[in-house]
């Protein structure tokens, strides 16, 4: 108890001395205003995007259902839209959302990518990143911590009070712990109100009706950011304690901040993309088209692959013309073509995703030497704004597109006659009530266990950093000198 009392006294002394500096008030107030702006802009982005997605998803569904009696294959080409709604936590962590699209046009025989990203409609400044609560917590608060902590111990050494404190029976462990608690108490004056506002907004966005999955995500979001900020409190005090002057401590801490938050993340991405080079979008689409043409063109009646299918059908049903088959031949061929094209697309996509996975894995491994990369990956994963979430949306949309196309093909096989109408006859159609057989698209975000599974490297790196910092503290306690 006596030891703890000493550490609390040291923490209070540091806190009081910090606020004697007018600059700290100004910087703290400035960051507080940035947090308020980030909360407001996040709220506005979330509501605008989801209102827009809901509006156009509803209009797309209405347009689909309002189609008149029509040939089902024409309906398959008429297509539909899949929209991706944001999750409540994306209010605080924009992640990759501004750069990835949130809408995909779905049509037969063709796989499209997501479009209509915020970056596409914004000026180039967006490419430097928007101001979000996560960005402030992950980048600006660590810088403030370093500003508060660079002279925590170094200044005591410079003015001679460090030797006096240690001679009075205060141990290095008590001193370091007290200084860490002091800096943490100052940071909590920003962090705690931010979390309170964050939780209130999060509840409000869900009308105070929350799911266990979202609750776990929110809790982990808060916990990991708290641990992350404590990391920087410890790093600041350890660097200050091992530096002979405050100036050297400040230079070292600014260097660490630059490496952690700016240099390493960008360098890692560039190196990963260089080592594991991915094909361009044009090359990717071209390779798919080439492989599909090797298999055959379902729209070409003289194609060798599909001619062989036709001949086998005529033999099985013992007829001499496709018009005499007991089902719609064109619909059957379209079904086969959709299977082939989708299979080829998925094979190429899987190869591409393996390249991207290697790039991302390389970046995640670097999180073992950089806690910023670890917290960024976790934050985006929990907020459903990471790359994996974008790919998950693409896959859900593709699955929906394939089922839609095949349902239309099945309706054509079942209800459309093989006999082509005369020029003055009514076109072959089916009743428009069948359009309702295709359910509306609903995007389902990844559940918490899927997020934790994909971010296991980041979680392990966080725990490794906890262990390392305890080791560093123990080492510092035994080896630091007063002079």
């Amino acid at each position: 108890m006596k030891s703890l009392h000493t550490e609390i006294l040291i923490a209070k002394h540091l806190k009081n001395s910090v606020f004697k500096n007018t600059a700290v008030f100004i910087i703290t107030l400035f960051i507080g205003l940035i947090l308020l702006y980030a909360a407001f802009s996040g709220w506005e982005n979330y509501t605008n995007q989801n209102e827009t997605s809901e509006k156009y998803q509803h209009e797309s569904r209405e347009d689909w259902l309002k189609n008149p009696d029509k040939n089902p294959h024409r309906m398959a080409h008429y297509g539909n839209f899949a929209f991706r709604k944001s999750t409540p936590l994306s209010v605080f962590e924009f992640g990759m959302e501004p750069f990835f699209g949130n809408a995909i046009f779905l049509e037969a025989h063709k796989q499209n990518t997501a479009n209509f990203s915020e970056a596409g409609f914004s000026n180039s400044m967006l490419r430097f990143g928007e101001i979000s609560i996560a960005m402030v917590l992950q980048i600006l608060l660590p810088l403030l911590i370093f500003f508060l902590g660079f002279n925590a111990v170094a200044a005591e050494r410079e003015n001679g009070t460090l030797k006096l404190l240690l001679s009075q029976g205060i141990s290095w462990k008590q001193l370091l712990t007290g200084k860490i608690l002091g800096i943490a108490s100052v940071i909590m004056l920003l962090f705690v109100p931010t979390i309170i506002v964050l939780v209130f907004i999060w509840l409000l966005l869900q009308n105070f009706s929350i799911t266990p999955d979202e609750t776990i995500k929110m809790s982990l979001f808060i916990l990991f950011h708290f641990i992350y900020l404590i990391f920087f409190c410890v790093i600041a005090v350890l660097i200050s304690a091992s530096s002979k002057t405050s100036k050297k401590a400040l230079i070292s801490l600014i260097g660490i901040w630059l490496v952690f938050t700016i240099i390493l993340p960008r360098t890692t991405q560039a190196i990963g993309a260089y080592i594991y080079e991915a094909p361009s979008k044009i090359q990717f689409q071209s390779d798919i088209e080439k492989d599909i043409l090797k298999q055959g063109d379902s729209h070409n009646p003289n194609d060798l692959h599909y001619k062989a299918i036709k001949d086998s059908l005529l033999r099985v049903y013992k007829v001499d013309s496709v018009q005499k088959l007991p089902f719609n031949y064109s619909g059957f061929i379209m079904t086969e073509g959709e299977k082939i094209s989708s299979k080829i697309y998925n094979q190429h996509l899987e190869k591409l995703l393996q390249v991207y996975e290697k790039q991302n894995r390389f970046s995640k491994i670097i999180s073992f030497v950089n806690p910023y990369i670890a917290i960024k990956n976790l934050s985006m994963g929990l907020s459903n704004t990471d790359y994996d979430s974008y790919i998950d949306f693409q896959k859900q949309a593709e699955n929906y597109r394939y089922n839609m196309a095949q349902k239309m093909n099945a309706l054509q096989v079942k209800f459309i006659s093989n006999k082509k109408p005369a020029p003055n006859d009514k076109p072959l159609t089916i009743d428009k009530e069948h359009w309702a057989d295709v359910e509306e698209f609903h995007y389902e975000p990844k559940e918490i266990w899927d997020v934790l599974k994909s971010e296991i490297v980041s979680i392990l790196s966080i725990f490794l950093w906890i262990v390392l910092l305890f080791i560093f503290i123990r080492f510092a306690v035994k080896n630091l000198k007063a002079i």
Side-chain angles (χ1 to χ4, degrees), residues 210 243 385 450:
I210 55 175
S243 300
T385 58
D450 294 323

Side-chain angles (χ1 to χ4, degrees), residues 420-433:
K420 294 184 177 180
N424 296 324
D425 290 346
K426 180 183 176 183
L428 297 174
T429 62
I430 63 173
D431 194 282
K432 62 182 181 180
E433 291 181 359

Side-chain angles (χ1 to χ4, degrees), residues 21-33:
N21 188 343
T22 309
V24 173
F25 276 111
I26 296 172
I27 294 171
T28 305
L29 179 63
F30 178 69
I31 292 178
L33 291 173

Side-chain angles (χ1 to χ4, degrees), residues 279 284 291 346-356:
F284 177 71
D291 282 356
N346 289 329
Q347 287 173 345
H348 281 269
L349 179 63
E350 204 56 43
K351 289 180 182 177
L352 181 64
L353 293 183
Q354 286 174 6
V355 175
Y356 288 143

Side-chain angles (χ1 to χ4, degrees), residues 177-368:
T177 304
K179 297 291 186 180
I180 292 167
L181 291 175
I183 298 170
S185 66
V186 176
I187 292 302
M188 288 304 112
L189 293 176
L190 281 171
F191 182 72
V192 172
T194 299
I195 296 304
I196 292 171
V197 172
L198 185 151
V199 171
F200 178 72
I201 293 174
W202 176 73
L203 290 170
L204 203 60
L205 290 172
Q206 301 172 89
N207 296 317
F208 292 87
S209 176
I210 55 175
T211 63
D213 189 77
E214 282 295 315
T215 304
I216 295 171
K217 286 179 181 177
M218 182 61 167
S219 302
L220 290 176
F221 184 91
I222 296 169
L223 174 64
F224 283 124
H225 278 87
F226 173 77
I227 294 171
Y228 175 76
L229 293 176
I230 297 300
F231 283 168
F232 283 88
C233 292
V234 175
I235 292 169
V237 172
L238 288 176
I239 295 297
S240 181
S242 59
S243 300
K244 289 187 176 182
T245 65
S246 299
K247 184 179 178 181
K248 287 183 179 179
L250 181 60
I251 293 171
S252 298
L253 289 171
I254 290 176
I256 290 171
W257 180 82
L258 286 171
V259 170
F260 277 1
T261 61
I262 297 175
I263 298 172
L264 259 184
R266 284 154 179 75
T267 304
T268 301
Q269 291 171 358
I271 294 173
Y274 177 78
I275 297 174
Y276 305 106
E277 187 177 358
S280 66
K281 185 176 180 180
I282 295 174
Q283 184 65 45
F284 177 71
Q285 296 289 355
S286 175
D287 290 343
I288 292 172
E289 291 297 328
K290 286 177 183 177
D291 282 356
I292 290 175
L293 288 175
K294 287 178 185 176
Q295 288 290 329
D297 182 0
S298 60
H299 288 79
N300 180 6
N302 297 317
D303 183 271
L304 294 176
H305 175 76
Y306 291 97
K307 187 176 184 302
I309 294 176
K310 182 181 75 172
D311 294 341
S312 66
L313 287 173
L314 296 178
R315 284 195 301 271
V316 169
Y317 287 93
K318 298 178 181 178
V319 292
D320 56 6
S321 169
V322 294
Q323 281 74 27
K324 295 178 182 179
L325 289 170
F327 54 84
N328 183 268
Y329 170 73
S330 179
F332 180 87
I333 290 299
M334 291 303 114
T335 301
E336 178 68 14
E338 192 66 59
K339 285 180 183 177
I340 291 172
S341 63
S342 294
K343 182 180 179 181
I344 291 171
Y345 171 81
N346 289 329
Q347 287 173 345
H348 281 269
L349 179 63
E350 204 56 43
K351 289 180 182 177
L352 181 64
L353 293 183
Q354 286 174 6
V355 175
Y356 288 143
E357 176 60 29
K358 289 176 181 177
Q359 292 179 3
N360 291 333
R361 194 183 303 133
F362 178 80
S363 176
K364 287 178 180 179
I365 289 172
I366 301 300
S367 67
F368 284 110

